[in-house]
Amino acid sequence: MTGETPLISARQLGAVFDVSKPWLNRMLALEAKQYLTAVDMVDIDIPKGKTFALVGESGSGKSTIGRMIVGLQKPTSGQVLIDGEDFFAISSEKKKMAMRRRIQMIFQSPYASLNPRWRVRHIIGEPIRAFDLLPASEVDGRVAELLDQVGLAKSDGEKFPHEFSGGQRQRIAIARALASNPEFIVCDEPTSALDVSVQSQVLNLMKSLQRELGLTYLFISHDLSVIRYMADEIGVLYLGRLVEVADRDTLFDKPRHPYTRMLMDAAPHIDAFGRTAEIVKGEIPDPINKPSGCSFHPRCTLTEEICRRDRPEVREFGTEKARVACHLCAD
């Protein structure tokens, strides 16, 4: 990574949710409030024009981080920096609106993220109108350009979302994200609801758009093959905490954290016949009552006393500067 200021940075990002029962129920049962820590002190840097990927099991906090970075959810602690400026500290609504134009999001479901009552040209044109980017007379022309950019026809603008396949709907969602001329897009599992053949088309489109427009991505997925294709750098999340961060080749060639190795072993392999994989014990612990020390220790085959007692700090390893949170990790 160069000495340039990253386009997007998260600093000590945290998200805690109050999941307590209603007050009267707690009083009758003599129970205290309960809190769920979804994101725990996460640090991320995403240079301009690059793709940073987050991978982890369901419930690890990936989507919560994505929503905080685009401003849909305010962090409980920490900062989201855009070009070095704290997004949530901006007091001017005009300045905050200008900042919002630069960041967009592609959601997981192409079926739920598009308004079924709006024609496609209204859906894609909405960001242009919301940010007052063009005169009203020029909006439809810009929508036609965006439809062409994502591989759809101008005439598709008159249709409703239900008239399209899943892959076409996701293309519409991508066109809507591009409508505000953003610099950064959070892609929250954008292909998980699609067939494999359609996935490759959408991923190739996103790669092509990144090259053409100089886009920066935060790519969220649980699919390691998709992550390997899209990412420049990868962060592995477990129970809301980054346990390993490394560039793509380093992570896949030399995974260091036991949880990362578990994910690699669990992924389908073309040469898997006759291959033995280490079986991991148990399931993800209750995020409301996390284990002491290293959160992964109840499932880890390498656990020692220090793992149960002390929470591991993130350390750098190797010349590639992989960052790993593990007491027993050695270079």
Side-chain angles (χ1 to χ4, degrees), residues 172-224:
I172 294 166
I174 293 170
R176 179 180 58 185
L178 295 175
S180 68
N181 302 320
E183 300 169 42
F184 172 70
I185 300 178
V186 171
C187 312
D188 187 4
E189 307 243 22
T191 60
S192 64
L194 307 177
D195 293 336
V196 174
S197 60
V198 180
Q199 282 186 20
S200 63
Q201 295 172 19
V202 172
L203 293 174
N204 287 332
L205 171 64
M206 295 177 69
K207 276 270 197 181
S208 174
L209 290 170
Q210 184 175 38
R211 287 192 299 269
E212 292 173 18
L213 305 175
L215 296 171
T216 306
Y217 291 147
L218 172 63
F219 200 94
I220 296 168
S221 181
H222 62 273
D223 188 329
L224 286 171

Side-chain angles (χ1 to χ4, degrees), residues 55 106 118 138 220 301:
V55 64
I106 300 169
W118 283 17
E138 298 178 21
I220 296 168
T301 57

Side-chain angles (χ1 to χ4, degrees), residues 225-243:
S225 61
V226 170
I227 290 290
R228 188 166 199 169
Y229 179 68
M230 291 295 297
D232 296 296
E233 190 173 24
I234 302 168
V236 182
L237 272 173
Y238 186 74
L239 277 182
R241 192 176 188 221
L242 280 173
V243 296

